[in-house]
Structure formats: C-alpha cells, structure tokens
Amino acid sequence: MKVIESIKELREQVREWRKQGLSVGLVPTMGYLHEGHKSLIDRAVKENDRVVVSVFVNPMQFGVGEDLESYPRDMERDCQLCENAGADVVFHPQPEEMYTKNFSSFVDMNTLTKGLCGKTRPIHFRGVCTVVSKLFNIVTPDRAYFGEKDAQQLAVIRHMVEDLNFGIEIVGCPIIREEDGLAKSSRNTYLSAEERKAATVLNRSLQEAENLYKNGERDAEVLTGAIRSYLDKEPLAKIDYVELVDWNTLETVEKAEGSILIAIAVYIGKTRLIDNRIIAE
Ligand code: PAF
C-alpha cells in the first residue's frame, strides 16, 4: 500500500490504473479510523479493483469554536488499518495541498443542508461538499463509500452528485455499533467513562421510537416525543435536535410513511453526538 500526499502523484496513479482498465473505489475519511470506516473499506475492496482511502481533517467543514485542533489523529494506526483491510492507496494531503493560497471556490446547496445538523453547523456542509467534490475530481472514482451514521451528509452528497452530474455511484453503508449500541465515532474518544456510559442513551432512545413504529405508531410528534422523554431522563444528555424527516428530501413530515429518517443530535457533556434510524416501509 502506498501513502500519497500530492494530488499530482495520485492523479498519475489513477491514470495508470485506468490504462489497465481497473475500477476505482474511494473512501473519504478524516482519519482516526475505527470499525465503521473499516466496514466502508471492506465493501470498497469487494466492489472495486483498486481502493483509495483519503485521510484529511478538512478545516473548511469546521466552524469557529468547533474541534478542528483537537480532532483525534493517528496516521500510523490509520495506515495499518487501511493496509490490513486491503486498500491500495492512502491519500493524505496537507491542508496547503488541498487549499492553495488563493482558494476561493465553493460547492454549496440551497436545500438539504439547512435543517438537522445544518442548524447548529451552518457552514459545515459547504465544507463537506467542497472537499468531497475536490476528492471526486482528483480520484475520479467509479464508486464512493459513506456511512449512514452521517445520514444528512449521505443525502447531501447523493443530491450533489445528481445535481452536478459527477457520474459516481454513492454507496451508503450501515452504522457500526459498539456492543452496548453506541454508534462508532472518532468523537467517542472525547467522552469520560461516565459520559461514555450515558452516551448509550442515544441508541436506546431511537430503539424506543423504532419499537413504537413497529407497533404501528406513525405520528411524528408521538415518535419524536418518545425520544425526547427518553433522553430527558439522562442527566448528562442535552438535546440539540430530534427530528423525523423524509429520507430523500430531509423535509419534516407529520406521518412516518414511506422512507423516513429519525435523526438526533445530543450533547453528552461537551461532546455532540449524532445517531439515527433509517426506516423504509
Ligand atoms: O464524514 C467525514 O469523515 C467527512 O465529512 C468527509 C466525508 C470525509 C469529508 O471531509
């Protein structure tokens, strides 16, 4: 496996693969890889001849006061995980390589990015869309892999790919959880032992709503209300949002019908965690 830092070198590598008629999969990440990322790489390795994993903590998607500086990093461990999983290249550019001095172009979206996480993170998705577009242009993959844990991000990228005719298949992969149900996330490392225990409340509250749904409840207010009451019982949890939306448009719905997304964001202490259920009838 190669670690490539320059865009030029990565382009040459991809050109070489293309000459040989090989397909290419891309797994975009911000590093500090865990089982969730591994599941994306595993799937990419299965479905493509060559796989690029990008490891880049993208400054553009962090707002003022967010955790850009403290975001966990461990390149050595990341490379080991990628190599063991069968990736061919880790693309690890420096910020100056991705954003040159005069950088001034952005990819943004008027819909899908305003609600849910977009409310508390107003510039986040502009940063995500811009960096993912750049990665798509650099790697020109056949397929790109994203986790369903960041459900809004997945919906936004799918929409962007359609709007801008990227011609790339976007593959969404299921959430990977710890044994106690907490969704795997690089940010879980911020939690103290006490907070880590409390954090299981996210998945448990969603399970409560899913059970109600399975028993026939379709009223969005009842379903989100049940999640709120459950979360309110945990003293360390502070709700950012609890929403039930259409899975394609991310618009709020009154009835849980068709494909829906139940998404929550909750502060456990100072750490903001997200989780969700995607439910399709
Ligand atoms: O999901 C992430 O880790 C990031 O938002 C992504 C897609 C790699 C873009 O920086």
Side-chain angles (χ1 to χ4, degrees):
M1 189 191 76
K2 272 191 205 169
V3 179
I4 295 182
E5 294 200 353
S6 101
I7 293 170
K8 184 166 172 278
E9 192 183 338
L10 181 56
R11 279 191 198 281
E12 278 162 13
Q13 175 64 83
V14 173
R15 213 171 294 131
E16 202 50 50
W17 289 338
R18 292 300 188 192
K19 262 194 226 151
Q20 296 168 42
L22 301 173
S23 63
V24 179
L26 169 67
V27 183
T29 82
M30 297 206 302
Y32 213 69
L33 306 179
H34 49 67
E35 288 294 313
H37 297 108
K38 188 177 171 302
S39 74
L40 306 183
I41 303 170
D42 286 344
R43 176 111 183 241
V45 166
K46 255 192 220 134
E47 297 181 351
N48 301 275
D49 299 316
R50 295 290 180 268
V51 170
V52 177
V53 180
S54 63
V55 174
F56 179 60
V57 182
N58 174 35
M60 199 189 282
Q61 69 189 69
F62 288 79
V64 176
E66 288 189 352
D67 56 343
L68 173 62
E69 301 308 326
S70 58
Y71 196 84
R73 293 159 168 89
D74 189 343
M75 245 328 251
E76 210 175 303
R77 199 169 58 93
D78 287 350
C79 288
Q80 201 56 61
L81 185 146
C82 290
E83 181 152 31
N84 293 346
D88 298 277
V89 164
V90 169
F91 177 49
H92 180 51
Q94 292 306 307
E96 310 78 65
E97 177 74 359
M98 291 295 273
Y99 301 116
T100 48
K101 223 168 119 227
N102 298 323
F103 190 89
S104 62
S105 306
F106 300 91
V107 182
D108 207 351
M109 192 176 290
N110 279 333
T111 55
L112 276 78
T113 59
K114 304 297 172 226
L116 304 176
C117 290
K119 274 196 192 142
T120 36
R121 308 188 73 192
I123 59 122
H124 175 68
F125 289 108
R126 182 172 90 149
V128 169
C129 288
T130 303
V131 81
V132 170
S133 299
K134 282 172 70 69
L135 291 168
F136 285 175
N137 285 331
I138 294 163
V139 181
T140 61
D142 297 280
R143 294 174 201 85
Y145 296 79
F146 295 88
E148 287 177 353
K149 161 134 183 309
D150 295 302
Q152 185 175 17
Q153 170 172 280
L154 175 59
V156 164
I157 287 167
R158 283 209 168 111
H159 194 74
M160 178 186 84
V161 162
E162 203 180 307
D163 277 356
L164 302 182
N165 309 99
F166 273 107
I168 294 167
E169 184 189 338
I170 301 301
V171 183
C173 302
I175 298 177
I176 304 293
R177 298 182 181 277
E178 304 284 356
E179 262 177 33
D180 62 8
L182 177 65
K184 299 240 182 197
S185 162
S186 308
R187 289 190 168 101
N188 291 349
T189 51
Y190 298 154
L191 301 167
S192 68
E194 195 192 357
E195 290 169 345
R196 171 65 188 78
K197 257 194 215 155
T200 58
V201 75
L202 276 83
N203 180 52
R204 285 186 279 117
S205 72
L206 287 163
Q207 198 52 52
E208 184 89 346
E210 194 176 349
N211 292 343
L212 285 174
Y213 175 90
K214 281 185 181 149
N215 288 328
E217 184 59 66
R218 293 291 181 272
D219 189 291
E221 255 181 50
V222 174
L223 293 167
T224 54
I227 295 175
R228 283 180 179 279
S229 315
Y230 200 97
L231 291 168
D232 282 342
K233 285 188 211 128
E234 172 49 63
L236 294 183
K238 192 173 139 269
I239 296 173
D240 177 4
Y241 67 74
V242 173
E243 301 241 15
L244 195 150
V245 297
D246 179 285
W247 171 220
N248 294 308
T249 63
L250 302 187
E251 275 167 19
T252 312
V253 291
E254 283 174 14
K255 289 260 167 263
E257 281 160 356
S259 292
I260 56 152
L261 166 71
I262 309 178
I264 63 176
V266 179
Y267 289 93
I268 301 290
K270 286 201 175 107
T271 307
R272 185 175 172 280
L273 299 175
I274 57 172
D275 201 349
N276 69 70
R277 289 287 192 281
I278 297 167
I279 300 175
E281 258 174 342

